[in-house]
Amino acid sequence: MSAETGTAVVVARGLRVRRDEREILAEIDLDVRTGEVLALVGPNGAGKSTLLSVLSGDLQPAAGTVELDGRAIGSFRPLELARRRAVLSQANVVSFPFRVIEIVQMGRSPWIRTAELADDQQAVLEAIRATDIEHLLGRRFTTLSGGEQARVSLARVLAQRTPVVFLDEPTAALDLRHQEDVMRLARELAAQGRAVVVVVHDLSLAGAYADRIALLDGGRLDAVGTPTEVMTADRVGRVYGLDVQIHRLGASDRPIVLPLRD
Amino acid sequence: MSVRSRALALILLLAGVLVGGIVLSAITGQLAITPTEVAGSLLRAIGIDTAWAPTDPIIESTLWVVRFPRIVMALVVGAALAVAGAVMQAIFGNPLAEPGVVGVSSGAALGAATAIVLGASVLGGAGVALFAFLGGLVATLLVYAVSRAGGRTEVVTLLLTGIAVNAIAQAGIAFVLFVADTASREQIVFWQLGSLGGSLWSQVVIVASVTVIGVLLSFALARRYDLLSLGERNARHLGVNVEQLRLVSIVLVALLTGVAVAFTGIIAFVGLVVPHIIRMIIGPAHRGLILASAVGGGALLVLADLMTRTLVSGAELPIGMLTSLVGGPFFFWLLYRQRRRSGGWA
């Protein structure tokens, strides 16, 4: 694990992504640092998932650079990359009826024939415990509900044990408790010194658990900073086109975002 | 029982069936030969003289010229087709992909027919195999390029592509038949029905060596096929070089199918039925699946070939007809089940 917290592991400069003549992302500068949870938020179609794809090395930007550990991310071989960063994508369909335990074990595959192999069982066990899927291990992945599949896929990503973790809407299909569990997990990963990037829709959830929030609007970064800095009623209202009020509960400075309702 | 020990148990069971099938096949025929004579003859071949060894030269030559090459051919062709099916299903992310259904076998057949008409005698057995491989390769590439979207293939798209590729290949074969002289025409028609009769050792060697290499290579790639079932993107996140894996696998499918079709004609559905049943027993993990498919495919064709020789006395049924007779309804059942489960042709 990276020794110091706060070191920029992924550095993106001047990112620009076009698709079908349309500008999806423009003028993005962003650092992903060790020991912190960075939340990507924004309205539908703002470019959150695209940005995540670019940062994780899936997508080549039309312009700009992404560096991982000081090296252009495009120059990594797939296996080298798999040992440095794990990605939970939104689509987690499995073609054949593998058992849940087999799916989690697949997360260890980048470490085959390495010293890390000794940690295999430990990593798999921890991932299973952290995502609360012990009772599903013998089931076929294809027979699980959407939320259960999401948690199993998350366990697979955790088992990969990489210094950088990207989570694309990990809470989308989850119930209230498991949403909180997942975000708490993201915090724990950061506490271990890893860098966590997470796309979330729920602004209060982002506000409660992220160290920094990057707010995207129409493919541009509207603001990057601590939840308190980014989550102002003005800014959120403007970006989402909806009047909101920001609450703070008790002594916490974590913002809670609520739409203004009659 | 753990997945691994289940897989091992199944492979051993299938190997038992295979050995039984081989012995049964060796002793059955117009000339009855006893199992001890078969064993004696085999032992003599590796330099151990026993009292069992047949003294009659007719028995000896029946075994070594007629029956053994045919049995080994059935074994390796079955293994090649079953493994080709398993690999194809892995890269298409669809359990219904199969060389026969999708048109790869027809492509290979067109290649082989072309080789026969162009004068296979000049090129020799390897020439037919090479043309079959090229035909199969073009067909696989075509199907792959047309039918996949987002790393997966929908059943409808796959089957429609199969219809188109099959149609083109069959038209090509018809044209080749049309321009062929009478001798080659007869050869092609007979061969098209699919038969293991008249297999020569020289052909068996070609098919066997390609099959062994193909099965070993598929086995080496098995873990990557497991990861590929998570989708191409997720596989890439786990360190799989998806583009490279795809390319190698397409060549692999074309090689295995091409070499299987080259001398025995189209034997369809082996690649569909065998991996499917094995998946139901030991699960989808590809290491066990590929090994068990190789053994199971071999056993299936050895037994099927025995049936073609014995079902109708005095005549020999085309083996391609037999596998389609069994595989067709099986395929139909799979489609029906998949349709019921997903509520449509997803």
Side-chain angles (χ1 to χ4, degrees):
Chain A
M1 220 69 5
S2 311
E4 256 173 279
T5 52
T7 324
V9 267
V10 180
V11 178
R13 290 291 174 269
L15 292 186
R16 191 176 291 277
V17 174
R18 271 198 203 88
R19 198 174 295 154
D20 305 331
E21 306 288 303
R22 222 166 58 81
E23 199 132 85
I24 310 277
L25 290 177
E27 296 166 34
I28 305 254
D29 295 330
L30 192 62
D31 288 358
V32 177
R33 302 178 193 146
T34 55
E36 84 172 13
V37 176
L38 170 66
L40 302 183
V41 300
N44 291 335
K48 305 183 290 291
S49 294
T50 308
L51 179 55
L52 194 91
S53 298
V54 176
L55 293 176
S56 63
D58 277 356
L59 192 68
Q60 190 76 29
T65 57
V66 179
E67 284 185 353
L68 172 63
D69 292 340
R71 212 176 112 193
I73 202 161
S75 72
F76 284 85
R77 287 184 299 116
L79 190 61
E80 291 178 303
L81 214 49
R83 289 178 184 165
R84 283 174 175 79
R85 65 95 179 89
V87 186
L88 176 72
S89 32
Q90 285 185 45
N92 286 295
V93 188
V94 176
S95 310
F96 298 101
F98 280 94
R99 287 186 194 284
V100 167
I101 180 75
E102 291 174 298
I103 300 277
V104 181
Q105 282 165 347
M106 286 182 196
R108 294 304 297 164
S109 57
W111 301 106
I112 285 175
R113 282 191 279 277
T114 65
E116 294 271 341
L117 195 62
D119 302 336
D120 272 2
Q121 278 202 312
Q122 184 68 22
V124 169
L125 271 178
E126 272 177 26
I128 288 169
R129 219 170 288 141
T131 49
D132 185 29
I133 56 167
E134 284 103 332
H135 59 292
L136 302 174
L137 293 183
R139 298 260 305 271
R140 303 264 176 214
F141 185 85
T142 36
T143 65
L144 302 179
S145 77
E148 289 169 336
Q149 290 191 344
R151 270 150 55 207
V152 172
S153 302
L154 179 62
R156 192 199 78 223
V157 167
L158 292 180
Q160 212 172 331
R161 281 202 177 165
T162 50
V164 187
V165 180
F166 294 94
L167 308 172
D168 196 353
E169 298 200 22
T171 56
L174 301 186
D175 60 40
L176 194 60
R177 184 200 135 196
H178 287 112
Q179 285 192 14
E180 294 294 318
D181 281 355
V182 166
M183 293 309 286
R184 207 169 294 139
L185 200 62
R187 280 242 55 85
E188 276 169 34
L189 293 177
Q192 293 165 13
R194 304 181 203 210
V196 182
V197 182
V198 51
V199 173
V200 275
H201 266 298
D202 187 331
L203 295 177
S204 303
L205 211 53
Y209 289 102
D211 293 295
R212 283 191 309 146
I213 291 180
L215 177 61
L216 282 158
D217 183 20
R220 284 160 201 269
L221 269 181
D222 195 273
V224 186
T226 64
T228 331
E229 289 164 5
V230 175
M231 301 283 198
T232 62
D234 270 1
R235 179 177 285 125
V236 173
R238 174 170 51 74
V239 169
Y240 283 84
L242 173 79
D243 289 333
V244 297
Q245 45 188 191
I246 309 286
H247 293 268
R248 284 189 170 70
L249 270 186
S252 158
D253 63 344
R254 297 284 186 179
I256 293 171
V257 182
L258 284 179
L260 279 177
R261 298 181 183 125
D262 305 326
Chain B
M1 236 190 323
S2 79
V3 172
R4 185 169 290 205
S5 50
R6 267 180 84 135
L8 201 64
L10 178 70
I11 291 172
L12 288 177
L13 178 76
L14 288 172
V17 173
L18 176 62
V19 171
I22 289 173
V23 172
L24 211 57
S25 210
I27 63 171
T28 315
Q30 284 180 326
L31 179 68
I33 300 174
T34 65
T36 50
E37 282 172 326
V38 174
S41 180
L42 280 172
L43 285 172
R44 182 155 65 197
I46 55 168
I48 306 170
D49 258 316
T50 58
W52 287 346
T55 44
D56 189 346
I58 296 179
I59 291 182
E60 190 72 357
S61 71
T62 303
L63 279 178
W64 287 96
V65 177
V66 182
R67 292 196 192 159
F68 285 160
R70 181 174 187 153
I71 292 169
V72 179
M73 187 63 119
L75 168 65
V76 291
V77 165
L81 288 174
V83 172
V87 170
M88 202 158 193
Q89 286 143 27
I91 57 167
F92 278 85
N94 190 322
L96 292 175
E98 200 259 350
V101 173
V102 162
V104 175
S105 296
S106 298
L110 175 58
T114 310
I116 291 173
V117 169
L118 291 181
S121 49
V122 184
L123 297 158
V128 180
L130 181 69
F131 270 68
F133 162 66
L134 292 176
L137 187 63
V138 171
T140 320
L141 285 172
L142 195 63
V143 175
Y144 197 79
V146 171
S147 70
R148 280 165 10 101
R152 281 202 162 67
T153 315
E154 289 185 350
V155 174
V156 187
T157 325
L158 186 74
L159 298 185
L160 291 178
T161 316
I163 291 175
V165 174
N166 268 319
I168 297 168
Q170 292 302 333
I173 292 175
F175 177 74
V176 169
L177 277 175
F178 175 73
V179 298
D181 56 47
T182 323
S184 336
R185 193 175 294 164
E186 238 167 56
Q187 198 186 343
I188 293 171
V189 168
F190 183 70
W191 162 88
Q192 240 190 318
L193 291 170
S195 169
L196 293 156
S199 298
L200 304 173
W201 279 119
S202 63
Q203 301 169 339
V204 172
V205 167
I206 296 172
V207 182
S209 30
V210 172
T211 302
V212 168
I213 294 168
V215 172
L216 290 179
L217 189 56
S218 320
F219 184 72
L221 296 173
R223 276 182 190 285
R224 278 171 240 186
Y225 293 139
D226 286 347
L227 300 180
L228 205 57
S229 347
L230 301 172
E232 287 192 356
R233 224 178 132 200
N234 288 328
R236 204 173 288 125
H237 291 151
L238 285 165
V240 178
N241 189 337
V242 176
E243 289 71 23
Q244 193 188 47
L245 180 64
R246 243 190 241 159
L247 209 68
V248 171
S249 304
I250 286 175
V251 173
L252 204 55
V253 168
L255 262 179
L256 287 169
T257 313
V259 86
V261 166
F263 306 109
T264 58
I266 297 176
I267 302 176
F269 293 112
V270 176
L272 183 82
V273 175
V274 174
H276 201 92
I277 291 175
I278 285 164
R279 239 182 249 118
M280 290 200 296
I281 301 172
I282 60 171
H286 283 86
R287 284 163 82 94
L289 176 67
I290 283 169
L291 280 191
S293 291
V295 181
L300 179 74
L301 264 209
V302 168
L303 289 174
D305 182 48
L306 180 63
M307 284 171 74
T308 64
R309 304 199 280 127
T310 50
L311 277 182
V312 182
S313 65
E316 199 174 287
L317 298 170
I319 191 168
M321 188 199 81
L322 191 71
T323 60
S324 294
L325 210 59
V326 179
F330 185 84
F331 185 60
F332 196 74
W333 171 71
L334 282 184
L335 276 177
Y336 177 72
R337 216 178 53 148
Q338 176 138 2
R339 184 174 173 210
R340 280 218 343 204
R341 189 182 299 156
S342 55
W345 298 107

